[in-house]
Amino acid sequence: MKNAEMKSTDWAMSSRRLFLAACVSAAAIAPLLGPSPAAADDSEIVLGALMPLSGAGGPFGQEMLASAKVALEEINAAGGPLGRKIRLVEENDETNAEAGVRAARKLVDVDKVSAIFGTWASSVTLAVAPIVQEKGLILLSNSGASRITEVQKKGHVFRLEPDDLLFGKAYAEYAAQQGWRKAAVLGLNVPFTQSTVDSLKQRFEERGGKITSFVTYNEEQTTFTTEVARVLSDQPDFVHISGYEPDTIAILKAAYQSGLTTRFIVPGFSVSADLIKNAGPAADGLLLVEEGVSEDSPAYQRLAKQLGSDRYYSFGAQAYDEMVILALAIEAAKSTDGKALDKAIREITGTGGTKVTSFAEGVAALRKGERIDYDGASGPLDFDANGNIAKANFRVSEVKDGKTAPVGKISEVQF
């Protein structure tokens, strides 16, 4: 879903704080686990964090890495899976498929990682998945493109990010809640736009609505006066922008400068503090639909405490959960073998077991012979047969006077 452009500059100071916070020891949260398994291997378990630390997804990659390090501290403070510490190898995919492939091959062939997690851009996930599948490893991703489902059917690939289809339905559900009946779409000409809009259209029509126009634009486009005028000519109740930060800001400015007003709804990942600052009054009223997190869960509260509670860490929560899932799966499988982990991931996140919200809780229960159900910072993690999150929650926020504030929720959106 996220395989094009995003940019940010105002995140620099925040990112520095995230890295510093991620280094804070989490030893205080580790409960008494008892002795590690007698047959434990003292060698480290190596995992690969492949994330967009620069490029379009840079701001989110920094957040994800800092969050993963919070989980790493907690896991190692609790003794690690099988009594072994985890060592994290970081690689930057630059939000670029070619760079992602180079980095993935290094992680697999040189660093000998047992699993990779954190791919954010869908193009990167699609390019890297065949590498890990060929090697029989595991990949956990934060990508949403529907095409990824076909890749996941071959096994070894899971994603914590809601599928595009779920996002499309979330937009429609929120519009129905507001009583809106007419919608228009401005969409970047990439695969995820079509799948998202198809899903939006289907659910919106089921709720009595109608898409009045669907105008696409190209990645390099910078002016949108004509396109904005076209989608607003039918006076829709809202316009969905299916794109990324550069085009979103240009569209908002084009509408504002033309004196045209409407509600714009966008995915949360297309908006940063940089956009809000640069768009100025053109961003007022903008509605963001973001991946939900479990704000009341102990896992999310620990994460927010370490990183600072002034932000909403949707991708960070996912990266935190990916680290914990891998560590618990290794403990449950008593192995780092990819085939064993593929099975164990479903077992430790499936329903019916003892609810746990941390590695420390989970590993203690597993060593007692109990079955567990890890519910993390990003929410309940129940994967379907293809490795997708089967249902998802979303948060809706509004930009006003240069700030964002939550204004609604869409709960349990399902395929």
Side-chain angles (χ1 to χ4, degrees):
M1 181 175 190
K2 301 170 288 293
N3 55 359
E5 299 295 328
M6 297 180 68
K7 61 183 179 181
S8 172
T9 56
D10 285 354
W11 295 67
M13 292 182 65
S14 179
S15 295
R16 181 175 181 271
R17 185 189 65 191
L18 295 181
F19 278 117
L20 292 173
C23 296
V24 176
S25 172
I29 69 156
L32 296 176
L33 298 177
S36 299
D41 184 344
D42 290 334
S43 63
E44 295 176 315
I45 295 170
V46 186
L47 300 180
L50 180 56
M51 298 174 176
L53 304 180
S54 64
F60 300 105
Q62 301 286 356
E63 172 190 312
M64 289 162 59
L65 182 58
S67 301
K69 287 182 175 180
V70 172
L72 178 67
E73 290 285 343
E74 294 179 2
I75 292 164
N76 284 341
L82 306 180
R84 299 163 62 184
K85 297 296 180 70
I86 290 178
R87 178 165 61 89
L88 194 62
V89 180
E90 308 161 15
E91 286 293 335
N92 180 10
D93 64 34
E94 304 173 28
T95 326
N96 176 276
E98 292 183 5
V101 167
R102 290 194 299 270
R105 292 199 180 281
K106 174 186 175 293
L107 289 171
V108 171
D109 297 331
V110 178
D111 300 303
K112 305 296 182 183
V113 299
S114 296
I116 293 175
F117 70 98
T119 53
W120 182 87
S122 292
S123 59
V124 174
T125 296
L126 289 166
V128 169
I131 297 172
V132 299
Q133 287 171 326
E134 179 185 359
K135 297 291 186 177
L137 302 178
I138 292 291
L139 173 65
L140 300 181
S141 89
N142 303 73
S143 305
S146 292
R147 290 169 53 195
I148 294 171
T149 296
E150 294 304 311
V151 175
Q152 291 176 155
K153 289 179 179 179
K154 299 177 182 178
H156 292 247
V157 180
F158 298 81
R159 57 174 163 171
L160 280 71
E161 171 74 358
D163 185 279
D164 291 346
L165 301 179
L166 294 178
F167 263 92
K169 291 178 179 180
Y171 301 134
E173 293 290 0
Y174 183 72
Q177 289 177 13
Q178 307 308 307
W180 300 337
R181 292 290 178 265
K182 293 171 64 178
V185 177
L186 272 166
L188 180 64
N189 190 19
V190 291
F192 90 78
T193 287
Q194 189 62 57
S195 57
T196 303
V197 174
D198 286 346
S199 179
L200 164 61
K201 182 175 184 294
Q202 178 184 3
R203 181 59 59 87
F204 195 48
E205 290 179 348
E206 290 173 356
R207 300 292 185 262
K210 180 181 179 181
I211 304 291
T212 59
S213 61
F214 177 17
V215 177
T216 60
Y217 57 87
N218 296 318
E219 292 188 51
E220 304 304 320
Q221 191 165 331
T222 57
T223 59
F224 294 88
T225 303
T226 301
E227 288 78 8
V228 168
R230 284 173 59 189
V231 296
L232 293 181
S233 62
D234 293 321
Q235 298 182 322
D237 294 315
F238 73 97
V239 174
H240 169 52
I241 304 175
S242 185
Y244 296 92
E245 184 167 328
D247 29 300
T248 296
I249 192 170
I251 290 168
L252 294 176
K253 285 185 173 181
Y256 184 77
Q257 291 165 0
S258 300
L260 300 171
T261 59
T262 191
R263 300 177 185 88
F264 286 99
I265 295 181
V266 300
F269 60 76
S270 71
V271 178
S272 72
D274 193 43
L275 178 146
I276 295 171
K277 177 183 177 181
N278 290 334
D284 268 7
L286 181 65
L287 294 168
L288 290 64
V289 177
E290 303 172 274
E291 301 82 349
V293 300
S294 289
E295 293 183 76
D296 296 329
S297 74
Y300 186 81
Q301 290 176 355
R302 289 195 306 271
L303 177 65
K305 182 179 180 180
Q306 292 285 6
L307 301 186
S309 58
D310 59 328
R311 283 186 36 206
Y312 185 72
Y313 300 101
S314 56
F315 295 117
Q318 292 174 8
Y320 173 96
D321 286 342
E322 287 165 357
M323 275 290 300
V324 177
I325 286 171
L326 287 171
L328 288 175
I330 291 168
E331 178 71 33
K334 295 182 171 52
S335 172
T336 58
D337 174 73
K339 187 174 182 180
L341 294 182
D342 188 57
K343 179 181 178 182
I345 286 172
R346 298 180 186 279
E347 291 176 349
I348 60 101
T349 57
T351 58
T354 300
K355 293 285 186 181
V356 299
T357 62
S358 70
F359 172 78
E361 292 176 347
V363 75
L366 287 170
R367 290 176 187 174
K368 293 177 183 177
E370 298 176 9
R371 181 180 175 185
I372 65 170
D373 178 8
Y374 174 68
D375 284 353
S378 63
L381 297 162
D382 300 325
F383 296 102
D384 67 13
N386 296 319
N388 293 317
I389 295 297
K391 60 183 178 182
N393 299 324
F394 297 84
R395 184 178 85 158
V396 183
S397 298
E398 183 178 15
V399 178
K400 188 174 182 179
D401 298 328
K403 299 180 180 180
T404 60
V407 294
K409 292 183 178 180
I410 311 117
S411 300
E412 296 192 351
V413 181
Q414 303 184 41
F415 280 104

